[in-house]
Amino acid sequence: MIKKISLAALALTMTASTTLAATNITWWHGMGGRNGEVINELAQKFNAAQSECAITPVSKGSYEEALSAGIAAFRSGEQPNILQVFDAGAATIINAKGATIPAEDLLKENGFAFDRNAFIEGVRYFYADADGKFVGMPFNSSAPIMYINDEALKKAGVEAPKTWEEFEAIAPKLKEAGFIPLVQSQLTWQFTENFFSRNNIQFASNNNGYDSIVDTTINVTDERHVMMYDKLKAWYDQGLFGYYGAAWNDNQKVFEEGKAALWIGSSGSFGGLQKTATMPFSATFLPYWGSIEGAGVHSFIGGAALFAMSGKSAEENKCTATFFNFLTSTEIQKFYHQATGYVAITNAAYELAKSEGYYNEKPAAEVGIKQLQLPGAEWDKGYRLGFYPQIRSIMEREYNRIFAGETTPKDAMDTIKKEADELLARFAKTAG
């Protein structure tokens, strides 16, 4: 007797056969929630678009956990083909000798055309080497921008500030109108790293760490940076700035509930904010100090990049290159941008979304891209510093102490510099 096979079972069998015939590659990442779902959707789109390769995404928890898992797996020879690494971990993976194949080399070696200038200005440099060659492939890229509670500004009769001087002028009016004038979600990224970038100030020696890991020191004690935190503490004491600790969501929640007028957040938060905000909102650029000469240039990206891990077969490397090429294609970049709120990393994807009227409907979605396309300067490309996740933890500890009244901004920066420079020196010995 011949057993009948259902159409669903037949389809499953055919899919399995196709997958078995393809070269399989793995992608470890550190994203959850809706962003994790979109990663699965990208994998499905790639697998459906061709038959030679099949990619399997695997969540490893947080960014930090994904990086730790990837490094440990490489040491044991069990690394994935692709590892997502967040901005603070870039120096760790790039300086792990023999761990990765530069994305630009991988693409060219496998016959794909690659043009650095196809990527928007603020995206090109963070995961590149000192000569501009892409080591990591930018993926979920974002910029720190200012979100606006439209009702709050209307009630106070003020306009969104372009500079911090303008914020100081309108903040009392926002407070009088019953709002917390300003909140933020990550001091390290928004008010330290991008403070240096947006105001065009050198963040670390050795070309912000890009030229060498030897004798690299951090510049947090720059008087203009200390001034920024003197101002933040003064605003905090005057009720013009709300600080709820280092946790991102604790600070974002106050804005979502309509209690804060302005929130410095991520352009990548736009998608989620559309669902959680209880009031109409818009967005504008991260402010800068008008009193600082040369300020007002573009910020650099946050988020993460994808790194091609070494030690794989030529067939698997070709599939990784094929996936990178697919990921940066115009239609896929537009899809990812609109599905998540992260910026479209290529000029072509941005122009396509614009030509279709997407930003007429959702202008806040364009702010991060526009900020990353602002004129460039010498010190706006970001940093390349080892043990940086640990350095960020030191910053967070000291920034908490500033707002608790346990230390001054100057003393906090002195402490951060001392401990950070020690970590940078240790990293140079470890990586060297």
Side-chain angles (χ1 to χ4, degrees), residues 196-379:
F196 284 91
S197 176
R198 192 84 168 93
N199 292 284
N200 195 29
I201 302 169
Q202 186 173 1
F203 184 45
S205 63
N206 288 330
N207 187 25
N208 283 358
Y210 279 86
D211 289 348
S212 174
I213 61 175
V214 178
D215 297 329
T216 298
T217 57
I218 201 166
N219 195 31
V220 290
T221 53
D222 184 284
E223 62 182 10
R224 292 160 292 187
H225 183 238
V226 175
M227 177 271 292
M228 180 78 251
Y229 281 82
D230 282 335
K231 289 287 189 180
L232 287 171
K233 180 59 165 63
W235 297 341
Y236 177 79
D237 291 342
Q238 296 162 22
L240 305 179
F241 173 63
Y243 179 71
Y244 303 92
W248 184 286
N249 290 335
D250 289 345
N251 294 276
Q252 179 176 341
K253 184 179 180 182
V254 182
F255 180 77
E256 290 174 336
E257 294 174 343
K259 297 174 183 176
L262 303 167
W263 170 54
I264 307 298
S266 168
S267 60
S269 297
F270 169 71
L273 197 60
Q274 293 181 96
K275 300 176 182 178
T276 57
T278 58
M279 71 293 170
F281 71 90
S282 54
T284 190
F285 298 158
L286 174 72
Y288 61 93
W289 283 100
S291 59
I292 296 178
E293 186 177 354
V297 299
H298 68 66
S299 59
F300 68 88
I301 54 173
L306 304 184
F307 287 83
M309 303 297 284
S310 63
K312 299 296 182 179
S313 68
E315 291 79 13
E316 291 180 39
N317 286 340
K318 184 175 182 179
C319 282
T320 296
T322 303
F323 179 66
F324 283 177
N325 188 64
F326 167 85
L327 200 62
T328 55
S329 63
T330 303
E331 284 290 344
I332 292 300
Q333 268 303 303
K334 188 192 75 163
F335 160 76
Y336 188 70
H337 166 49
Q338 295 178 348
T340 63
Y342 285 106
V343 303
I345 62 174
T346 64
N347 292 306
Y350 168 53
E351 292 299 333
L352 178 60
K354 185 161 60 173
S355 70
E356 293 177 350
Y358 180 65
Y359 305 118
N360 295 331
E361 179 186 351
K362 298 180 178 181
E366 189 178 19
V367 172
I369 301 173
K370 281 186 163 183
Q371 182 171 294
L372 291 168
Q373 290 183 319
L374 288 172
E378 188 174 7
W379 302 115

Side-chain angles (χ1 to χ4, degrees), residues 33 37 39-41 50 53 88 94 99-100 104 117 184 251 267 278 310 347 352 367 395 418 432:
E37 292 173 359
I39 281 182
N40 292 335
E41 291 172 25
Q50 42 75 55
C53 309
I94 289 172
T100 65
E104 187 171 333
N117 292 324
Q184 58 72 50
N251 294 276
S267 60
T278 58
S310 63
N347 292 306
L352 178 60
V367 172
M395 290 177 179
K418 179 179 181 298

Side-chain angles (χ1 to χ4, degrees), residues 162-210:
K162 293 182 175 63
T163 66
W164 289 119
E165 288 91 346
E166 290 177 1
F167 168 75
E168 284 192 300
I170 68 169
K173 295 180 181 179
L174 292 168
K175 182 182 177 182
E176 289 169 12
F179 298 92
I180 303 165
L182 176 70
V183 292
Q184 58 72 50
S185 277
Q186 194 179 45
L187 285 169
T188 54
W189 182 48
Q190 296 162 353
F191 282 90
T192 291
E193 296 151 26
N194 271 287
F195 169 85
F196 284 91
S197 176
R198 192 84 168 93
N199 292 284
N200 195 29
I201 302 169
Q202 186 173 1
F203 184 45
S205 63
N206 288 330
N207 187 25
N208 283 358
Y210 279 86

Side-chain angles (χ1 to χ4, degrees), residues 98-109:
T100 65
I101 304 170
E104 187 171 333
D105 291 344
L106 186 70
L107 283 159
K108 290 179 177 178
E109 288 167 4

Side-chain angles (χ1 to χ4, degrees), residues 366-408:
E366 189 178 19
V367 172
I369 301 173
K370 281 186 163 183
Q371 182 171 294
L372 291 168
Q373 290 183 319
L374 288 172
E378 188 174 7
W379 302 115
D380 60 2
K381 300 174 181 63
Y383 59 90
R384 181 67 48 75
L385 302 176
F387 288 150
Y388 200 75
Q390 295 93 316
I391 292 173
R392 268 188 176 172
S393 295
I394 294 167
M395 290 177 179
E396 288 171 354
R397 181 196 74 207
E398 291 302 309
Y399 295 162
N400 282 336
R401 295 184 66 228
I402 289 173
F403 294 106
E406 297 172 0
T407 188
T408 66

